[in-house]
Amino acid sequence: QQQVKQSPQSLIVQKGGISIINCAYENTAFDYFPWYQQFPGKGPALLIAIRPDVSEKKEGRFTISFNKSAKQFSLHIMDSQPGDSATYFCAATFSGYSTLTFGKGTMLLVSP
Amino acid sequence: GAVVSQHPSWVICKSGTSVKIECRSLDFQATTMFWYRQFPKQSLMLMATSNEGSKATYEQGVEKDKFLINHASLTLSTLTVTSAHPEDSSFYICSANPRGGYEQYFGPGTRLTVT
């Protein structure tokens, strides 16, 4: 019930392409879905987050798509750049419970 | 805004000694702070959750007598690894949850190496 399943485990995208990372959850009580970006040797940084009252949220080149009925959400990175090469984690939590449930992470490599 | 710092960023200690890691929220008050451990190429593993002024809640399998957590104020939490052993070598990361917010902001992490 508490799992968040993330795919793919790793991803190679050409510069300028679109990177897509998917997550699926089971617990319908989840109502906050953040994405974190982590560079090697650094802590995760909050990238973008969505609540289930909207189906899409865009911030610059990063977009979260949310499908409540399918219990899935995804991160799209448009015009991917080598500087986007990092590990991305999806997560979920719900109101009144601050602990995040993380996916296993996706290692993204954007080739020049 | 929403900056979390950790100190030290890396530490090397001898087996059997203790080491303290500090986590501070610099520009907000943190209702709750979290401590994670991360192994190479793996996800974050939650070790414990702490609220200011109360005892930390440890995840199953985490030894509370070995990993002492003190949440002394709304901006400071410390993790002390007692009697450290080489298997405690890892990347320790804290995060902080602002009052009334969902977001968790992470510190830069502390690399602990026990020799």
Side-chain angles (χ1 to χ4, degrees):
Chain A
Q1 273 292 81
Q2 289 289 86
Q3 274 190 323
V4 175
K5 294 184 179 178
Q6 184 171 346
S7 63
Q9 191 174 349
S10 62
L11 181 62
I12 300 174
V13 172
Q14 291 221 333
K15 179 182 174 181
I18 302 173
S19 305
I20 302 174
I21 304 170
N22 301 297
C23 284
Y25 63 97
E26 288 294 324
N27 190 341
T28 55
F30 286 146
D31 62 359
Y32 176 72
F33 303 88
W35 283 90
Y36 286 87
Q37 179 189 57
Q38 185 179 30
F39 293 104
K42 305 292 184 185
L46 179 61
L47 197 58
I48 187 172
I50 198 167
R51 303 283 291 273
D53 52 345
V54 296
S55 60
E56 186 175 282
K57 183 175 181 180
K58 184 176 180 179
E59 287 183 6
R61 295 185 295 109
F62 300 92
T63 300
I64 299 180
S65 296
F66 184 81
N67 186 329
K68 190 173 181 178
S69 60
K71 292 186 285 186
Q72 294 176 347
F73 58 109
S74 59
L75 176 69
H76 296 233
I77 306 174
M78 314 300 284
D79 187 26
S80 299
Q81 299 297 313
D84 297 329
S85 298
T87 299
Y88 293 81
F89 293 97
C90 64
T93 189
F94 55 87
S95 175
Y97 182 69
S98 54
T99 302
L100 289 170
T101 299
F102 282 93
K104 290 186 181 293
T106 297
M107 200 175 301
L108 170 66
L109 176 65
V110 181
S111 60
Chain B
V3 178
V4 176
S5 70
Q6 270 184 254
H7 178 80
S9 55
W10 59 271
V11 58
I12 301 172
C13 69
K14 290 187 184 296
S15 187
T17 63
S18 296
V19 61
K20 181 186 283 189
I21 303 169
E22 285 189 356
C23 175
R24 291 182 186 271
S25 56
L26 298 186
D27 52 2
F28 65 95
Q29 291 187 327
T31 310
T32 308
M33 285 184 165
F34 305 84
W35 287 95
Y36 294 85
R37 186 173 179 176
Q38 188 177 36
F39 292 104
K41 298 189 190 300
Q42 291 191 24
S43 190
L44 297 95
M45 184 183 79
L46 180 65
M47 298 175 66
T49 302
S50 72
N51 293 291
E52 185 256 346
S54 57
K55 287 186 179 181
T57 302
Y58 291 81
E59 294 299 300
Q60 195 171 9
V62 176
E63 299 175 61
K64 61 181 180 181
D65 294 331
K66 182 169 188 60
F67 298 100
L68 300 179
I69 291 170
N70 186 324
H71 195 152
S73 74
L74 283 170
T75 59
L76 172 64
S77 177
T78 59
L79 167 68
T80 302
V81 183
T82 62
S83 186
H85 291 284
E87 57 265 31
D88 298 324
S89 298
S90 191
F91 192 50
Y92 292 88
I93 315 171
C94 71
S95 70
N97 178 237
R99 276 183 161 180
Y102 277 92
E103 302 87 356
Q104 267 191 44
Y105 297 100
F106 285 81
T110 296
R111 173 74 57 194
L112 169 64
T113 301
V114 185
T115 61

